[in-house]
Every structure is written in C-alpha cells, then in structure tokens.
Amino acid sequence: MSQNKYAESHVDGVSHRGKVERVLTRVSRNDWSALEPPGIGRWRPSRSVSVIIPARGGQERLDLTLACLAGQTYPEDLLEVVVVDDHSSPPLRLPRLRPGRCRLLPAPEGGRGAGYARAYGAHASTGDILLWLDADMVVDRDFVEAQVRWHHVHAETVTLGRVRFADTAPGSPTEVLSRVRAGTLHEQFGPCGEHDWVERLLRVSNDLRESDHLGFHAYIGAAAALRRSLYEAAGGVDPDLDLGQDTEFGYRLWQAGAVMVPEPAATAWHIGGAGTARTRLPSARYRTEVLAELMPHPHAYRERVPVHRRRVPLVRAVVDVSGAPYDLVRDCVDRLLAGAESDLVLTLVADWEGNGSGAPGGPRLDLRLIQANYLREPRVGFASAMPRTGFPSPFLLQVPVTWGLGQVALSRMLAGAERSRAGLTELLPAGPALPGSGVRLWRTRALARALRVRRAGEDLGDVVTEVHGRYRIHAGAETLTDLSLYRPVPPLPRTEPDPDGLVLPPTPAGGEDGPPPRQENRRGPGGRARAARGWLRSRLGRTLRRVRGPGRTRD
C-alpha cells in the first residue's frame, strides 16, 4: 500500500475549528467494514498524536503508564503526551522513563474533575489526533499505532481500545518498558475483568457494524482516539461533568456522525479491579437526574425528566415563515405544539431583524404579529437562517408552513425512523405528491455524515438515503392537512333585524331610505362625508322609533 492512500483529507479538506474534514469513503450507518486501514507495522504514519492523561494522585501508577508510552511503535517525533494534574496533593512529577515529548500541566484553579482535565488537556495539546488514556493503565506497544491507523484513512472514525481490569501490578517501570518493547506485556496478566455492558453491546451488534441509535454506549474515554476536527465539531468534552462525561460526549460524537470502531489490538489494562468509581459508570439516579437532561436517548432515562428541564430536545423542528400570513403560521405552529410529542423545540425562520422597517402593513406586520404571539412560548425560538443539522438533538424536523401535523403525526414519524433506522423519514400526503412536498424528519447523525461526503450538485436527500436509508409514510387527512385549502374568508356584511323578525335587505342606493342624490355631494370629499353621516343618523333614528313603538320616549 502506498503512503498517499492514507492521506485522504490532506488533499480534500482542511481542519477548521468546529468543522470536520471532508471525507471520500461513504460509510453506511456504522458499518466500518467499508474502511481499509493499513496493517500494523506495514505503513508510514504522517499525522501527529496527542495522548491526554488526566491524573489525580497515584504517582506510582502514572510512572508505569508513561513507561509503556515510551515503548510505543508509533514514531516518537509524531507522539506527544500531555499529563494534566487534577490538583494532586502532593503534586505529580514526570518520571525518568517517559516519552521524549511529554509535558505535565497543572489544572487551573477554576475547575476540577476528569471532565475538566480532559477538556483542558485537549485545549493545550497540538496533535491532529487526540487519544485518551487513564493514569492507572498500562498498554502494549501497538496501542497507539493500532488506533491511529484508522484516523489516517477516515476523518469520522472514533476508535475504541479494548479495556481490561488486572488485579496484579506488572512490576517496576523498567520491567514494564522492557516487556512492552518485547511485546510480552500481556503475559503478566491472567484472567481479567471487562466492561460487561460494552462486551454485550459488541456481541449483539456485530462489533457495532449493525448498531442502532444506542451504539454510542460502547464509547469509553479511558482508551479511545479521534481526530481533533471531529472532537471540535462535537463540542468537546463537557468540563462541568466529573461523572458520566464519557457517556455524554459519546452521545454527542454519535450525533456528529462518528463511525465508532472497536480495535481489539489496542489493549489497555487498568491496574486494580473494576468498580463504579474506576469505570466512571454513573448510577441510575445520576443518569436520570443529570445525564437525561442532556441526552434524549435512551428514552427510559428521559421519561422521568420534566419538560422544562430537558436542555437538549429529542426533536428540533423548523418552519420557514418568510412571506407567510399570520393566520397560516398560527395554524401550522399551534398544531405542531399541541401534538402528542412534547420533547421538541421549534425554530421559526424569517428575516426578523428587518421587521421594524418598511410600511406598517404587509409581510412585516405579519412577522411582528408572529413574534409577539410566540415571544413568551418557551419552546419557540427565532432564527434568520435554516440550521444545517439538529445537533445536538438526534432529529431535525422540517415542516412547510402550508402543512398541519395531526396529534400523533410526529410520534408516528419517530417510531418509523427508529424501527427502520432511516436517516430520512418523510410524511407524504395521500395521492400523488411532488418530491420534497411533505414533512421531513432528518436523523442528525445521517445528515452530518451526508454533508461531509456530498459532491457538488448532489441532492442531500439522496446522499442521506445512501449513507443511512429512507423511510416513507403516506398520511391520511387527519395526519397531514393541507392548510393552504383552509385560508380564512372575510365574513359577509351584517344586516339589521326587522321589527317583525324579518331580515331587511340593504336598500338600493338612491331609494326611499337611500343617501342624498349625487348632485348634493358636489362640494368635494368633505361634503360627501357629511351627507353620508346625516343619512346614517336619519336611518338610525327611524330604526329606534320602530323598536320603541308608539307612545314611548327616550329616557
């Protein structure tokens, strides 16, 4: 294999903060079988790697970890190690046996915890690829190379090392380094514990190749790697989460379109048995009270969170209201907000910044009325442009303003999307319909993936279909309503009731009770107005006399 084969994004894209590099290979869902990484030891790496190690205390174990990293097969000039001291007492120090490029950074006083240390280490590092490692782990010589080879061929990959728990320590740093270089470190350990839920997930999903929307649960930040560009596009590790930050960040990586690849050749051993504190597995209460506010999936956790505490909604709905009359927008939006699915926020798109200029009537008046009506609705926001994806929400719902959703329409679309695992779910009106004429539910992960691989001129819906599938639902009249057929009609003119219970038709102009003849209005507009008012007063007086009857006077 030539070296150029593993430099895909050097030619096709550049990493920018918050944007993922463009990729060439199209991966269907999470089937990483389409990728062909180079064999270990049979290629020439070209990308720099930063190994980020958060640490609090445990100097002896940190010495073993750094000794292992000093014996890696990955080129030393491309390998950087950043140890973040999370307020250890006494402070940590760098041992003699360590990689050539190794730094120790004390965490700032403003934050504490593993999440803060990882975020700070990523910010302070310089590598193209970020690799996480805990400070109480030992790794074999191929640990870095086995993972990083995937990131040379595809910008969306997140590699997951194989994590084991060893009850016995492997010896001194000198002995560990000697065994790592000889490739015999694994002989030090007998049967080891493992992350049971990860192994179970890998078994039922064919090593994540057939995973569903919960595939991100396999992500463990203790031994994982990804490109910096993907890290930034997903928003980085949340520095405020000391517990569960791996799960929450794995969720956001999944929504950003990551292809998660388990790499059994990258084995890491925790020194010491597995426990809740060691595995950073949040308790059930923590998952429902904290993580569920940030993660709509899994649904079992989210159901216990009140609507007002759901910081990341399941669905981000968008309606373009530009040029639409106020009554039509009200009909569309109110139906959507009144639906059975309440885990959503709605963005109304229009040129809101210019709604204070121009004539007092027309489209600008409609926009002001729309804003005034929904300004206090907590689930409604305003934007001047359509969002590219629904990130970090799992779904983006696009509703044309002329369509009204029924009570369970969105719930039906979500059920269809999960059942089919489709990247695009369309709700179409009954009968023939033009392409794109219905309501579209985009899976955020599929949409983010399609935006990176789409070529000029390609239809976005077709690309999403290729990388994640499409599902269509033909709706009945109660599920999807064409609101353009029910525009408000001005009411008929009101008529006066006759004393005998009959309705009096309007008197023709110039009749017995009609306005004065045309020649009396020649004094101009003012004269015509005075004449009209006089006619109305005389007409009103006759009507009142009929109602009162003979012999009655006004009080």
Side-chain angles (χ1 to χ4, degrees):
M1 297 182 180
S2 65
Q3 179 182 352
N4 292 336
K5 182 174 181 178
Y6 309 115
E8 175 189 45
S9 59
H10 284 284
V11 177
D12 220 10
V14 179
S15 172
H16 301 286
R17 181 168 294 276
K19 297 181 180 179
V20 175
E21 299 153 279
R22 182 171 176 80
V23 296
L24 300 179
T25 305
R26 302 191 177 190
V27 176
S28 176
R29 296 174 181 166
N30 201 68
D31 187 4
W32 46 265
S33 302
L35 304 178
E36 297 182 9
I40 297 175
R42 299 197 299 270
W43 65 300
R44 184 183 304 173
S46 61
R47 290 185 172 272
S48 59
V49 180
S50 292
V51 180
I52 312 299
I53 304 177
R56 179 186 295 175
Q59 181 68 58
E60 294 182 358
R61 290 177 176 174
L62 175 62
D63 293 348
L64 297 177
T65 302
L66 294 179
C68 293
L69 293 177
Q72 292 297 299
T73 59
Y74 202 76
E76 188 178 31
D77 61 320
L78 296 176
L79 183 64
E80 170 194 43
V81 177
V82 177
V83 180
V84 181
D85 186 354
D86 184 18
H87 308 284
S88 300
S89 181
L92 297 173
R93 56 172 176 76
L94 291 179
R96 179 181 61 85
L97 292 180
R98 64 179 187 268
R101 299 173 60 214
C102 184
R103 291 184 286 154
L104 177 63
L105 301 177
E109 290 297 329
R112 292 176 176 271
Y116 187 90
R118 288 184 182 178
Y120 182 69
H123 175 75
S125 62
T126 61
D128 298 330
I129 299 169
L130 300 175
L131 192 153
W132 314 113
L133 190 62
D134 279 0
D136 57 354
M137 303 181 78
V138 293
V139 298
D140 218 335
R141 62 181 182 178
D142 298 329
F143 180 77
V144 175
E145 181 186 354
Q147 295 195 61
V148 171
R149 62 191 180 126
W150 291 91
H151 306 297
H152 278 67
V153 299
H154 201 72
E156 297 174 326
T157 52
V158 175
T159 50
L160 310 175
R162 185 185 185 190
V163 178
R164 296 291 181 264
F165 293 89
D167 293 328
T168 58
S172 67
T174 302
E175 180 183 353
V176 166
L177 178 57
S178 176
R179 286 186 172 276
V180 167
R181 287 174 173 170
T184 60
L185 181 63
H186 63 279
E187 297 176 359
Q188 284 286 108
F189 309 107
C192 297
E194 58 189 16
H195 288 92
D196 293 334
W197 85 90
V198 174
E199 297 300 323
R200 182 168 55 252
L201 179 58
L202 297 181
R203 286 195 300 269
V204 300
S205 64
N206 190 17
D207 285 337
L208 298 182
R209 282 179 287 235
E210 300 171 5
S211 59
D212 58 10
H213 61 287
L214 299 179
F216 65 88
H217 276 166
Y219 177 80
I220 300 175
L226 73 163
R227 283 214 196 161
R228 181 181 296 274
S229 55
L230 181 60
Y231 174 84
E232 293 169 348
V237 175
D238 190 340
D240 296 327
L241 289 177
D242 184 30
L243 189 63
Q245 78 275 0
D246 288 349
T247 303
E248 192 272 337
F249 184 52
Y251 161 81
R252 279 188 283 119
L253 285 173
W254 194 257
Q255 308 313 322
V259 180
M260 293 197 177
V261 182
E263 178 48 83
T267 304
W269 292 268
H270 270 289
I271 305 304
T276 300
R278 300 290 310 284
T279 60
R280 294 195 180 92
L281 178 64
S283 65
R285 183 176 181 184
Y286 188 88
R287 291 194 295 267
T288 57
E289 294 292 330
V290 178
L291 293 184
E293 294 185 6
L294 304 170
M295 298 165 44
H297 290 149
H299 297 301
Y301 301 157
R302 194 54 174 267
E303 292 173 353
R304 305 182 188 180
V305 180
V307 174
H308 68 276
R309 283 176 44 202
R310 297 173 179 179
R311 289 188 274 173
V312 176
L314 176 66
V315 179
R316 182 179 182 184
V318 182
V319 179
D320 188 347
V321 301
S322 302
Y326 169 71
D327 293 326
L328 181 62
V329 174
R330 280 286 306 270
D331 203 358
C332 174
V333 172
D334 289 352
R335 289 170 183 255
L336 187 57
L337 295 177
E341 181 55 67
S342 61
D343 197 354
L344 86 161
V345 296
L346 173 61
T347 301
L348 304 181
V349 178
D351 182 16
W352 303 106
E353 294 183 1
N355 65 1
S357 60
R364 292 300 180 194
L365 176 59
D366 284 310
L367 290 180
R368 288 197 294 272
L369 290 173
I370 294 168
Q371 255 188 335
N373 187 72
Y374 294 108
L375 204 56
R376 295 183 180 274
E377 169 58 57
R379 291 192 293 163
V380 176
F382 306 89
S384 58
M386 297 289 288
R388 288 166 61 86
T389 73
F391 185 87
S393 296
F395 294 101
L396 174 69
L397 177 70
Q398 289 182 333
V399 182
V401 71
T402 55
W403 288 111
L405 292 182
Q407 184 76 10
V408 297
L410 179 54
S411 300
R412 183 181 175 189
M413 294 183 72
L414 289 169
E418 298 295 18
R419 182 170 56 253
S420 65
R421 302 182 184 179
L424 173 60
T425 302
E426 295 177 305
L427 183 64
L428 303 175
L434 296 175
S437 62
V439 178
R440 286 184 158 189
L441 181 69
W442 304 86
R443 189 180 295 272
T444 297
R445 148 180 188 80
L447 192 54
R449 180 90 56 80
L451 289 172
R452 297 185 202 118
V453 300
R454 181 175 60 162
R455 294 182 290 268
E458 279 191 295
D459 179 75
L460 185 59
D462 293 340
V463 181
V464 168
T465 301
E466 182 179 349
V467 300
H468 223 287
R470 186 194 302 248
Y471 185 74
R472 287 192 172 103
I473 302 173
H474 290 277
E478 296 182 357
T479 304
L480 189 62
T481 303
D482 187 353
L483 303 179
S484 63
L485 302 178
Y486 301 94
R487 297 293 300 277
V489 178
L492 295 174
R494 299 181 62 181
T495 57
E496 300 177 5
D498 186 78
D500 298 328
L502 300 178
V503 176
L504 299 177
T507 304
E512 178 184 358
D513 295 328
R518 183 181 299 273
Q519 59 267 24
E520 295 184 11
N521 293 333
R522 290 179 179 174
R523 296 180 182 179
R528 290 194 295 271
R530 288 192 296 271
R533 288 196 294 271
W535 173 76
L536 289 174
R537 283 195 295 269
S538 64
R539 178 77 178 266
L540 179 60
R542 286 193 294 271
T543 301
L544 290 175
R545 286 194 294 272
R546 292 172 186 161
V547 173
R548 294 190 183 112
R552 298 182 61 181
T553 59
R554 183 176 57 185
D555 293 334

